[in-house]
Amino acid sequence: FIPLLFSVLYSTTVVGLYALANRMIRLPNIVITSSIANVFRNDAIDEIREKGNCKDLYLSTLKKLVLLSIPIYVLVFIFSPILFLLIFGSQWELAGHFARILSTMLLFEFVTTPLNTLFYVRDKQKILMRIQFVNAVFGALSIYLGAKFFKDPLYSLGIFSANAIMFNIIFLILSYRISKND
């Protein structure tokens, strides 16, 4: 829904810049987290069968995800404007700034996404769906408020990212509780 909302609030150029930044920067998340999620889910199922919880596995995986994500997204944060300029040309430099803003949000998403498989393992999909719905509503509202008050897509994206970070922290707290069987 983000490109659709951006197209209503900003120009098609902004939508194109966002789309390029989003596509490029999400590659590590798509490739790496889906593999980690599959392994984590299977190991969590086994550990829950044996111990009744998977708290130790959860914390171990969380630590590994944090250590893996920080270098990736710190580098993206630092170098994305320069890389977009060099690779795609000067007309795409703003997409690099979009990528910089998205990198903070995607760092949290990188850590949270594999661990969220516990909602499925523990049959808590309804909770996950409700929180995702509220996140989507607040996400749309944050983009709108950024446009309304600042009239700048960078501010809209920044507020959207802050919202996403907040919800990813909520997901982490809840998935940790689920790992302990709370």
Side-chain angles (χ1 to χ4, degrees):
F1 75 90
I2 299 169
L4 180 62
L5 194 53
F6 266 116
S7 69
V8 170
L9 299 171
Y10 297 107
S11 69
T12 55
T13 303
V14 169
V15 176
L17 293 168
Y18 168 78
L20 177 66
N22 189 50
R23 182 176 302 260
M24 291 291 110
I25 198 169
R26 282 197 182 269
L27 287 175
N29 277 31
I30 293 167
V31 172
I32 299 170
T33 60
S34 60
S35 300
I36 293 171
N38 288 335
V39 172
F40 174 73
R41 183 189 65 242
N42 293 337
D43 290 348
I45 290 168
D46 292 341
E47 201 160 305
I48 289 168
R49 280 187 197 136
E50 291 173 17
K51 299 180 184 177
N53 70 64
C54 63
K55 183 182 107 179
D56 295 336
L57 174 66
Y58 181 95
L59 292 173
S60 170
T61 305
L62 174 65
K63 181 180 174 183
K64 290 172 188 170
L65 287 165
V66 168
L67 292 174
L68 184 61
S69 66
I70 288 175
I72 293 169
Y73 288 104
V74 166
L75 289 172
V76 168
F77 184 85
I78 294 169
F79 295 112
S80 59
I82 296 164
L83 289 173
F84 274 75
L85 176 68
L86 292 173
I87 295 169
F88 299 109
S90 60
Q91 68 273 23
W92 295 98
E93 185 178 4
L94 185 57
H97 292 284
F98 283 7
R100 175 177 276 169
I101 293 168
L102 289 169
S103 68
T104 55
M105 172 188 79
L106 291 175
L107 184 146
F108 281 86
E109 192 176 289
F110 185 95
V111 172
T112 305
T113 300
L115 300 172
N116 281 348
T117 59
L118 280 179
F119 286 97
Y120 298 99
V121 169
R122 292 287 199 173
D123 199 28
K124 306 283 186 190
Q125 298 94 322
K126 284 184 181 180
I127 294 169
L128 180 64
M129 183 196 68
R130 288 177 183 144
I131 297 170
Q132 286 175 330
F133 176 77
V134 173
N135 181 23
V137 169
F138 277 96
L141 184 61
S142 63
I143 291 171
Y144 173 76
L145 291 174
K148 179 82 171 158
F149 292 109
F150 300 105
K151 297 175 182 27
D152 186 336
L154 291 172
Y155 280 98
S156 289
L157 201 54
I159 297 168
F160 173 79
S161 293
N163 174 74
I165 289 168
M166 180 185 69
F167 274 94
N168 276 301
I169 291 170
I170 292 168
F171 286 131
L172 279 174
I173 292 167
L174 292 176
S175 61
Y176 178 65
R177 286 181 179 172
I178 292 170
S179 79
K180 297 187 312 182
N181 201 17
D182 284 356

